[in-house]
Amino acid sequence: MATVRPRGHGDMRAAARTPRRPVPKKPSNPSLKDPVGVYCRVRPLSRPDQECCIEVINETTVQIHPPDGYRIFRNGEYRETQYSFKEVFGTLVVQKKLFDVVAKPLVEDLIRGKNGLLFTYGVTGSGKTHTMTGSPGDGGLLPRCLDMIFNSIGPFQAKRFVFKLDDKNGVDVQCEVDALLERQKRDAMPVPKTPSGKRQIDPEFADMINVQDHCKVEDVDEDNVYSVFVSYIEIYNNYIYDLLEEAPFEPIKPKPPQSKILREDQNHNMYVMGCTEVEVKSTEEAFEVFWRGQKKRRIADTQLNRESSRSHSVFIIKLAQAPLDADGDNVLQEKEQITLSQLSLVDLAGSERTNRTKAEGNRLREAGNINQSLMTLRTCIEVLRENQMYGMNKMVPYRDSKLTHLFKNYFDGEGKVRMIVCVNPKAEDYEESLQVMRFAEMTQEVEVARPVDRALCGLTPGRRLRNQAFQEELSRKLEMRGGPINEETEEQSVAEMFLQSLPPLPSCELLDINDDQTLPKLIEVLEKRHKLRQMLSEEFAKNVLAFKTMLQEFDSSVVAKENYLQGKLSEKDKTIARQKTDVERLEKKIKTLEYKIEILEKTTTIYEEDKRNLQQELESKSQKLQRQASDKRRLEARLQGMVAETTMKWEKECERRVAAKQLEMQNKLWVKDEKLKQLKAIVTEPRNEKPERPSRERDREKPVQRSVSPSPVPNAPPVRLRHRRSRSAGERWVDHKPPSNLPTETVMQPHVPHAITVAAASEKALAKCDKYMLTHQELASDGEIETKLIKGDVFKTRGGGQAVQFTEIETLKQESPTGRKRRSSPSNPDPAEDATDSAWTDVETRCSVAVEMRAGSVLGPGYQHHAQPKRRKP
Ligand code: ADP
Ligand code: MG
């Protein structure tokens, strides 16, 4: 028989994957499509007095009508709608009937290596779980499927761990030795601890698997071996959780379950990555696993305050099968001969809309998500239908939810899809049931590619049978001979059999000489015996030969097996040796690391010690610093106090000294005044004869009086006065005082009577006056302010303007008492004498010397004179 299995070119692994979809995908026959099988189950009302809105019309039709309070009249007619399905199951239909019609074909397909998907759809409380799982004492489709599978493949199951699922949605066959090792490992392992500590099925569950149906697939390929793997996942809030994952039990703070992700295998089939897949060998075991997941689901519901009706649960049954070898003894190790098929049983979340459950907050969001995945399912179905009906090529949004993404390949590739729509006929569910019906009717219009029939094995059938027949024959023969196989007894019995089969020897006594009968008879018998002997020896030789060849064959096979095992053993030995060296290396590494750790720990302690010391030092230093800072502050305060005190003292001292000096100077001034008066008297003495002395001269003398001591010599030569035009006593002055001048605090201030004081030279003022005086200030070389009174006469110019001819400069200067000595002549040690001398000399000079000065000439710095004002006359 030819193999029609798709095989990867040179890639054995690829071929060992599930045969769901050939790569590249090419539908075997595009016209061979089946619509999604949609069935409807109407559950009985919970109470007989409930109002009913759904009636089963016949085997394929239901009728739904609005409840009393909800009646819609259209054109005066009472509106009721009928929906048709592949089959409708009324309230009285039992689980078995449903199973026979809906699920049995899927199980048959599974065993023939084809995939199937069965899901229940409907609002909460409509009987989805009752249909899928069942109720106590009334097992649903799931336990019945398991029961049928094990009833069918029961005697042909492979030993545990012969098949091994990999983590890429594929399957391998392990050699007997590896499988045996794994079995031993499993047996040695303690039973994993579950929170409850026991691993028995709830009596309630045990009840459900007690199906007692004995339903089985009749034409199971007996030359194959089979293994069943189950996994159980839950999709909640668009997250996938593995319900069989063995998480370490943490009683105090249980960890929240970790969600799983979807992956696509080489054949574009979706699978849950890292999902636990348990190999099961009986219905009980499989259901125990299911119950474990169910329990976990319930715990999650209570712990995380979830609503179980809002999650989709998916129970996946995978069936691996591979043919036996030509003798029917061992599983064929060729990977391309392995077939993996799967049946997914899905109990969907309640399809009701959110407002019905009055969900709030988190629950509302969850409900939204659940509705979202069901909505996506609806959208996908709708798009599929449109694409198929109208030849469109719209993208089906499988990826929008985990639920549709997981089952994408069923709609996209090939497989059998069946849906059971559950409805509760009660009036309250009318609207939701209507929605459910509409969706279900639409789903029927979607077609899915029919799975291809594949020959599962390319070898001559009946290997297992022939082998079995041979074994039976052998045991029968042995039984016939009685007792256990014993070489001696066997030899005896063979000899007996041989003797029995010989023709009996006639009597060979010759009583009569003429007896011509006995000898010929004897000869005849002996000849017969001889012939028999020859035949037997020929047979024996033949048998010996056959036996020898058999023995040789056996020997060679034993040798081959031995060699194989030896090879394996040496391989294992090598691995062990390798691992040993690895372990040694790692141990060495551990030792060095430990040594390093020790050193590091020591270094750490040293550093810590250092750190502590440094910190202490730092603390003491900072304390010292603080102390010093406070000391400094105190010292500053004290110094400031001292400075203030000293300043005050010195200020007082200065004031005292200034006052003393002022007094002294006043006294000196008074003396000088007196002397001047005397000098004046002397000077005016001869004038007594001419009493009218020009008043101008007098006026001019005035400022000088302030600072010049009169000549102590009474008979000093008279001053040769230059002739000036006479002026009336009321001559007017322009007193020009620039505003920038500083007030000098000299005791004697220049005073000009009848003056027009101006801040800036003004022609108007000049026109009215005939004398001009500018008060000019500048900084002398000793840093004191020097005031100069620059005087001049005012003339009328020919052009009608005014011109000033400067005639004299009077210098007024203050001096510090300490600076005086410096400027005085060092040859004269007596300052008083010096003062008098200079005063005298000055007065003398002033009186006798007149310096001619050109009017309007520029006054240079050479005109500075110290110690007293000087008058220069042009
Ligand atoms: P769902 O899973 O859709 O929320 P359940 O399967 O949990 O609903 O059903 C709710 C209740 O109705 C359960 O107690 C179940 O035993 C009962 N029930 C549902 N369908 C049937 C049926 N066909 N016959 C008898 N009882 C049913
Ligand atoms: Mg349910």
Side-chain angles (χ1 to χ4, degrees):
M1 200 188 286
T3 286
V4 290
R5 289 272 306 283
R7 291 182 191 198
H9 294 282
D11 183 0
M12 306 260 277
R13 282 196 81 81
R17 306 273 160 214
T18 50
R20 275 169 244 166
R21 214 170 72 168
V23 178
K25 181 195 162 195
K26 49 174 183 216
S28 46
N29 188 349
S31 64
L32 277 182
K33 279 188 164 190
D34 293 318
V36 173
V38 181
Y39 301 83
C40 178
R41 185 182 203 186
V42 184
R43 62 159 280 185
L45 287 169
S46 343
R47 292 190 321 268
D49 59 326
Q50 269 183 320
E51 192 189 348
C52 177
C53 68
I54 296 172
E55 274 131 43
V56 180
I57 303 289
N58 56 38
E59 282 203 340
T60 57
T61 314
V62 284
Q63 179 169 292
I64 182 164
H65 60 79
D68 283 342
Y70 203 94
R71 292 195 172 177
I72 303 164
F73 288 87
R74 208 208 242 167
N75 302 333
E77 260 181 279
Y78 175 62
R79 191 183 157 203
E80 43 200 28
T81 334
Q82 289 192 352
Y83 292 94
S84 297
F85 299 101
K86 198 161 181 187
E87 200 161 333
V88 173
F89 305 100
T91 51
L92 300 174
V93 172
V94 292
Q95 303 271 49
K96 167 145 176 61
K97 167 91 186 272
L98 200 77
F99 171 76
D100 285 345
V101 176
V102 184
K104 210 170 163 181
L106 291 175
V107 175
E108 283 165 359
D109 272 6
L110 179 77
I111 288 169
R112 291 195 191 103
K114 299 177 201 171
N115 299 316
L117 168 66
L118 172 62
F119 56 95
T120 51
Y121 184 91
V123 299
T124 301
S126 61
K128 297 184 297 297
T129 307
H130 175 80
T131 303
M132 192 55 88
T133 313
S135 300
D138 195 9
L141 300 178
L142 191 145
R144 284 171 197 274
C145 285
L146 288 171
D147 188 57
M148 180 171 172
I149 291 167
F150 286 105
N151 282 345
S152 311
I153 62 159
F156 318 119
Q157 284 196 72
K159 283 184 186 148
R160 218 180 274 273
F161 303 121
V162 167
F163 287 102
K164 199 175 164 114
L165 297 183
D166 61 19
D167 53 357
K168 295 183 190 78
N169 210 27
V171 65
D172 287 335
V173 170
Q174 292 204 110
C175 74
E176 185 49 44
V177 180
D178 287 346
L180 183 73
L181 280 174
E182 268 197 58
R183 278 200 292 277
Q184 282 172 353
K185 213 156 61 182
R186 178 182 183 261
D187 293 342
M189 260 201 336
V191 179
K193 278 260 176 293
T194 50
S196 64
K198 59 178 170 66
R199 299 213 84 176
Q200 279 159 5
I201 311 174
D202 263 354
E204 152 191 344
F205 276 91
D207 222 20
M208 275 192 227
I209 51 170
N210 207 2
V211 183
Q212 304 280 345
D213 213 8
H214 308 300
C215 182
K216 63 190 265 190
V217 179
E218 288 307 330
D219 48 351
V220 175
D221 189 345
E222 296 183 357
D223 292 330
N224 277 3
V225 282
Y226 302 83
S227 254
V228 177
F229 297 85
V230 292
S231 45
Y232 193 19
I233 59 163
E234 178 184 35
I235 302 175
Y236 190 92
N237 215 4
N238 211 23
Y239 286 105
I240 299 176
Y241 299 102
D242 180 1
L243 290 173
L244 302 181
E245 198 167 40
E246 290 275 5
F249 176 54
E250 282 167 60
I252 297 166
K253 195 168 179 276
K255 271 191 198 151
Q258 285 288 304
S259 67
K260 301 276 172 196
I261 56 165
L262 284 179
R263 275 274 172 91
E264 194 170 335
D265 70 9
Q266 288 178 328
N267 297 337
H268 307 286
N269 294 314
M270 299 309 299
Y271 68 99
V272 180
M273 204 176 75
C275 179
T276 315
E277 290 174 303
V278 186
E279 185 173 7
V280 285
K281 292 288 164 210
S282 66
T283 311
E284 288 75 24
E285 199 187 340
F287 208 73
E288 195 259 344
V289 171
F290 171 78
W291 169 78
R292 214 165 75 209
Q294 193 73 3
K295 188 146 189 173
K296 201 160 172 185
R297 200 176 158 198
R298 278 197 218 162
I299 290 170
D301 284 344
T302 24
Q303 273 178 357
L304 307 175
N305 188 26
R306 310 186 323 185
E307 183 92 47
S308 62
S309 69
R310 303 193 180 288
S311 69
H312 315 283
S313 76
V314 185
F315 190 76
I316 300 168
I317 306 168
K318 278 187 182 174
L319 181 73
Q321 49 187 307
L324 289 167
D325 60 13
D327 291 335
D329 273 339
N330 291 313
V331 186
L332 216 62
Q333 299 268 322
E334 289 167 44
K335 283 176 184 169
E336 62 266 44
Q337 296 282 359
I338 310 168
T339 305
L340 188 67
S341 50
Q342 81 173 45
L343 173 62
S344 303
L345 303 174
V346 188
D347 187 356
L348 288 177
S351 70
E352 62 272 7
R353 284 163 295 182
T354 318
N355 57 6
R356 205 184 88 123
T357 54
K358 298 182 192 71
E360 277 173 19
N362 255 0
R363 288 241 174 127
L364 185 75
R365 190 166 49 76
E366 290 160 13
N369 266 324
I370 286 148
N371 269 351
Q372 193 59 50
S373 31
L374 286 179
M375 186 89 99
T376 311
L377 177 69
R378 282 194 281 265
T379 315
C380 288
I381 298 275
E382 228 164 277
V383 174
L384 274 169
R385 177 174 151 272
E386 278 179 22
N387 282 354
Q388 289 173 1
M389 285 178 83
Y390 311 115
M392 298 204 292
N393 201 14
K394 256 167 74 175
M395 200 192 71
V396 188
Y398 295 115
R399 282 164 189 272
D400 285 4
S401 86
K402 294 277 191 302
L403 179 75
T404 48
H405 198 189
L406 180 61
F407 297 118
K408 155 180 165 284
N409 204 56
Y410 282 101
F411 295 99
D412 227 12
E414 53 174 56
K416 205 174 257 181
V417 184
R418 293 197 163 181
M419 175 167 98
I420 300 171
V421 172
C422 299
V423 283
N424 190 341
K426 67 175 178 182
E428 289 96 313
D429 276 3
Y430 168 73
E431 254 192 89
E432 297 295 347
S433 299
L434 211 62
Q435 298 291 333
V436 169
M437 297 283 186
R438 282 181 193 149
F439 168 65
E441 203 168 49
M442 181 181 72
T443 306
Q444 295 188 93
E445 291 171 6
V446 172
E447 289 188 325
V448 177
R450 184 183 297 174
V452 188
D453 268 319
R454 295 185 183 96
L456 294 176
C457 170
L459 298 167
T460 34
R463 297 175 304 283
R464 192 197 293 266
L465 271 179
R466 272 187 291 129
N467 206 19
Q468 216 169 337
F470 172 74
Q471 303 264 340
E472 275 168 15
E473 175 73 14
L474 197 72
S475 56
R476 194 175 49 78
K477 271 187 184 167
L478 289 174
E479 242 172 57
M480 221 172 63
R481 288 170 199 167
I485 305 166
N486 183 317
E487 262 176 51
E488 219 173 293
T489 49
E490 197 174 17
E491 247 171 48
Q492 267 179 7
S493 61
V494 169
E496 271 167 26
M497 272 164 65
F498 175 68
L499 285 176
Q500 276 167 15
S501 65
L502 285 179
L505 277 176
S507 153
C508 40
E509 272 179 57
L510 286 169
L511 299 173
D512 192 355
I513 191 119
N514 295 323
D515 189 357
D516 52 352
Q517 279 195 349
T518 309
L519 275 177
K521 262 185 194 169
L522 191 65
I523 287 165
E524 194 187 339
V525 167
L526 282 175
E527 270 174 356
K528 263 188 193 165
R529 279 196 172 203
H530 181 68
K531 253 186 212 161
L532 200 68
R533 189 180 175 274
Q534 268 180 343
M535 256 167 64
L536 279 172
S537 59
E538 267 169 33
E539 178 89 16
F540 178 71
K542 238 193 263 172
N543 278 348
V544 163
L545 205 70
F547 185 70
K548 262 186 188 166
T549 47
M550 256 172 75
L551 211 64
Q552 272 167 1
E553 263 173 32
F554 181 70
D555 262 3
S556 59
S557 78
V558 163
V559 165
K561 251 184 197 161
E562 211 176 85
N563 283 346
Y564 172 73
L565 286 177
Q566 210 100 51
K568 273 259 163 184
L569 212 67
S570 63
E571 225 171 74
K572 294 268 163 188
D573 275 351
K574 266 184 212 160
T575 320
I576 287 168
R578 225 180 15 248
Q579 279 173 353
K580 255 187 194 163
T581 50
D582 275 3
V583 166
E584 271 167 23
R585 194 167 45 77
L586 287 174
E587 270 173 357
K588 264 187 206 160
K589 210 170 172 182
I590 286 170
K591 262 187 199 150
T592 35
L593 284 177
E594 270 173 0
Y595 178 65
K596 272 186 191 168
I597 286 169
E598 211 175 290
I599 288 171
L600 283 175
E601 272 173 354
K602 273 182 193 161
T603 323
T604 313
T605 36
I606 290 169
Y607 276 136
E608 269 171 2
E609 184 73 21
D610 275 6
K611 195 180 146 195
R612 264 202 300 281
N613 288 344
L614 284 172
Q615 261 172 353
Q616 275 175 4
E617 213 174 296
L618 192 76
E619 265 168 38
S620 67
K621 286 242 161 110
S622 66
Q623 274 175 5
K624 211 164 138 193
L625 219 68
Q626 275 178 358
R627 256 201 321 274
Q628 278 179 354
S630 68
D631 277 2
K632 203 175 131 195
R633 271 200 301 279
R634 243 180 298 133
L635 201 71
E636 256 175 26
R638 224 171 60 207
L639 277 175
Q640 268 173 1
M642 265 162 72
V643 164
E645 209 176 292
T646 317
T647 317
M648 231 153 73
K649 221 163 81 189
W650 274 105
E651 269 174 2
K652 268 186 198 156
E653 179 66 21
C654 283
E655 272 168 22
R656 197 177 55 75
R657 282 190 194 178
V658 165
K661 205 72 196 170
Q662 271 179 350
L663 208 66
E664 194 194 317
M665 292 306 284
Q666 263 174 2
N667 281 344
K668 274 186 187 170
L669 224 83
W670 183 76
V671 172
K672 280 194 179 174
D673 264 0
E674 274 309 298
K675 281 182 183 173
L676 214 66
K677 264 183 201 165
Q678 284 172 17
L679 190 69
K680 204 169 155 189
I682 293 164
V683 174
T684 47
E685 197 78 29
R687 291 240 185 129
N688 279 349
E689 291 125 49
K690 340 172 212 168
E692 60 283 321
R693 187 196 163 208
S695 60
R696 192 177 54 89
E697 299 279 317
R698 267 198 330 264
D699 284 343
R700 206 169 46 190
E701 290 294 321
K702 249 184 199 165
V704 182
Q705 279 176 0
R706 268 179 246 140
S707 51
V708 177
S709 326
S711 168
V713 188
N715 50 355
V719 177
R720 192 172 59 88
L721 292 168
R722 193 185 157 215
H723 171 75
R724 302 290 301 253
R725 75 183 154 115
S726 114
R727 300 264 170 123
S728 66
E731 66 188 5
R732 290 197 73 184
W733 284 78
V734 174
D735 187 2
H736 181 186
K737 279 187 177 143
S740 59
N741 284 359
L742 294 170
T744 54
E745 284 170 359
T746 46
V747 178
M748 298 192 188
Q749 294 282 334
H751 174 67
V752 189
H754 312 295
I756 303 171
T757 308
V758 291
S762 97
E763 211 182 323
K764 225 167 152 187
L766 283 174
K768 285 181 195 159
C769 301
D770 42 14
K771 283 294 222 180
Y772 172 80
M773 184 174 78
L774 170 69
T775 310
H776 171 71
Q777 278 185 341
E778 64 186 34
L779 209 63
S781 59
D782 61 353
E784 297 287 343
I785 290 175
E786 197 177 60
T787 310
K788 282 178 182 168
L789 304 174
I790 303 164
K791 299 175 185 173
D793 296 329
V794 180
F795 298 101
K796 288 211 167 21
T797 59
R798 275 189 204 152
Q802 312 294 327
V804 176
Q805 186 181 29
F806 290 104
T807 53
E808 60 186 64
I809 297 171
E810 215 174 291
T811 307
L812 306 175
K813 192 153 190 295
Q814 272 178 295
E815 251 178 30
S816 104
T818 45
R820 185 183 168 151
K821 201 165 186 171
R822 195 161 30 100
R823 281 187 294 272
S824 65
S825 162
S827 58
N828 194 348
D830 188 2
E833 206 181 308
D834 177 59
T836 21
D837 274 5
S838 72
W840 166 243
T841 323
D842 270 21
V843 171
E844 199 179 36
T845 319
R846 195 184 63 207
C847 293
S848 57
V849 182
V851 180
E852 285 286 323
M853 200 177 151
R854 281 187 67 82
S857 68
V858 178
L859 300 169
Y863 284 93
Q864 272 190 3
H865 288 266
H866 301 286
Q868 68 274 318
K870 234 175 191 176
R871 186 192 298 160
R872 287 170 197 273
K873 289 183 181 171

